[in-house]
Amino acid sequence: MSSPLFTIILPTSIDRGLLLPYSIGSVQKQSIQDFELFVIGDGVNDFTRGVIAELKAKDSRISFFDFPKHPRR
């Protein structure tokens, strides 16, 4: 398996779960399909984490990097 042509980095935070299907869907509809998508979670909540898991299960090009916030932040 060869490396993807390019990598897309999509940062997200807290409660953006409802928007992610649109932003990730836009990436998936591009004419060049040889990419990997890194979703960077900056303190996402459980709902957003679940949405990302569903999208990731449907597309192997998606990777999720979860960076939880400290409870005081």
Side-chain angles (χ1 to χ4, degrees):
M1 184 173 178
S2 65
S3 297
L5 185 59
F6 61 94
T7 301
I8 300 162
I9 298 174
L10 176 66
T12 189
S13 61
I14 309 170
D15 61 350
R16 304 290 190 242
L18 293 175
L19 299 174
L20 286 172
Y22 297 104
S23 56
I24 291 175
S26 175
V27 169
Q28 291 168 321
K29 292 176 185 171
Q30 298 302 308
S31 57
I32 299 174
Q33 290 291 300
D34 188 16
F35 64 84
E36 61 187 351
L37 173 60
F38 290 173
V39 179
I40 311 298
D42 182 22
V44 299
N45 61 19
D46 289 337
F47 175 75
T48 299
R49 197 173 285 113
V51 170
I52 295 167
E54 288 177 17
L55 294 167
K56 188 175 180 274
K58 295 176 186 173
D59 191 336
S60 64
R61 298 172 297 181
I62 299 172
S63 297
F64 178 50
F65 300 90
D66 193 4
F67 295 97
K69 295 285 189 188
H70 187 275
R72 290 181 19 189
R73 297 238 173 208

